[in-house]
Amino acid sequence: MTTSAGSLSAVPEFSCCEDLAAVSEAARSATLAQNRAGATRLEAAALLVRQMARATESDGRAGASGRPGYARLDPQARARDHMAAACQLTCWHAGRLVMAGVQIHTRLPRMLSMVGRGLLPEQLAIDIACRLAQVPDGIVSDVEDAVMARVAHDLDGGDRPSRSAVDAMIERAVERLDPRAAQDAVDAATESRTVRFRPGRDGMASMWAKLPIGDAEMLRRRIETDAAAAAADGVPRPMDQLRADALSALAVYSPAGSPEVVEGIELGPVQVGADLTRPTVGNAAAAGGQPIRISVIAAAARGLPDQVEFV
């Protein structure tokens, strides 16, 4: 029995390689149509929020709802639920779609123009708009101009920027235009630090952490150093497992007494002690080997954050 897949209706059958340009053009047309469909969804989300807000206001004036103001749903939350049902999205994705639609149609005229012409993929537009929602009104126009010019240039060259690249572009633009706002954003982000654990299958669990970049780098270097030390000692396990072991070992190793300070550098020897209240600096994987030395370089006088140097 022989089966064959049917051809795509949008791409006609071609017989030789010289017709590849036509196939490429058909793919480009399909992408443009997809981008315009995304623009329609974003516009629908913004209109839905506007209609929900009008309905809430009219109910409040007429007293038709019969509920106090604090008991009424936010228009964006109601629009999110409608979009989740209409577009078969999760609540998280529907919420980002609604936020992006509102931002694009109220604060971001340059992005609105690019989205309407089908020049911006829907998911990329959502990522940029949701990130620009955190930019103060006083500089959002200038930040939008700088970011969208760079994104348009990248897309013309066939390079679609990732979400992390978009975040970096916006952060650099905010730092250049308003350093105080950039520092305020850093301070606010520090308040959102968290660690979460989720039980998994087969006796495993996953951990997710959001940390200040300095703390995260210290933890990364600590884990990498301990894993490398274990590998050098001949532990026959992959590096991924050694990193996981090094992270777990942080819970059971702690220095004995106060650390010794030599020329401004704290030296932290390690000892085993599962009953100790908290882990501190040491070489958990080596378990009594050479300690890690950390030097904290004060750079506040130069207007820079303190630097951490591992020796």
Side-chain angles (χ1 to χ4, degrees), residues 111-136:
M111 187 186 299
L112 176 61
S113 174
M114 291 182 63
V115 168
R117 289 179 288 158
L119 302 180
L120 206 60
E122 179 185 16
Q123 191 56 55
L124 180 59
I126 291 174
D127 291 340
I128 296 174
C130 289
R131 181 62 181 85
L132 287 175
Q134 305 170 19
V135 176

Side-chain angles (χ1 to χ4, degrees), residues 74-221:
D74 177 71
Q76 289 199 25
R78 295 176 63 189
R80 176 203 63 201
D81 295 340
H82 279 268
M83 295 301 293
C87 300
Q88 299 179 350
L89 300 171
T90 65
C91 286
W92 185 83
H93 285 92
R96 285 176 61 83
L97 174 65
V98 169
M99 178 186 292
V102 171
Q103 291 293 315
I104 291 171
H105 286 268
T106 58
R107 300 176 77 221
L108 309 173
R110 181 163 183 170
M111 187 186 299
L112 176 61
S113 174
M114 291 182 63
V115 168
R117 289 179 288 158
L119 302 180
L120 206 60
E122 179 185 16
Q123 191 56 55
L124 180 59
I126 291 174
D127 291 340
I128 296 174
C130 289
R131 181 62 181 85
L132 287 175
Q134 305 170 19
V135 176
D137 292 336
I139 61 172
V140 67
S141 179
D142 293 334
V143 173
E144 180 200 11
D145 289 344
V147 171
M148 297 314 300
R150 174 65 184 275
V151 169
H153 179 270
D154 290 346
L155 291 176
D156 287 342
D159 182 17
R160 173 173 171 165
S162 64
R163 184 180 297 175
S164 59
V166 167
D167 289 344
M169 276 190 276
I170 294 175
E171 288 175 4
R172 287 194 297 268
V174 172
E175 289 174 358
R176 184 178 67 255
L177 294 168
D178 192 346
R180 182 179 293 276
Q183 185 58 48
D184 291 342
V186 170
D187 296 339
T190 302
E191 299 299 323
S192 66
R193 61 190 184 277
T194 183
V195 177
R196 299 174 186 170
F197 294 88
R198 175 177 296 177
R201 294 179 295 179
D202 302 324
M204 302 298 289
S206 61
M207 182 184 73
W208 181 88
K210 184 178 182 181
L211 304 171
I213 190 168
D215 296 343
E217 178 62 14
M218 288 179 64
L219 182 59
R220 185 192 71 82
R221 292 291 299 270

Side-chain angles (χ1 to χ4, degrees), residues 204-205 207 216-232 235-253 282-286:
M204 302 298 289
M207 182 184 73
E217 178 62 14
M218 288 179 64
L219 182 59
R220 185 192 71 82
R221 292 291 299 270
R222 168 70 181 276
I223 292 172
E224 292 289 343
T225 300
D226 291 349
V235 178
R237 288 196 291 271
M239 282 299 293
D240 284 343
Q241 293 185 17
L242 293 177
R243 293 187 187 98
D245 295 342
L247 178 62
S248 299
L250 293 177
V252 296
Y253 290 97
N283 193 332

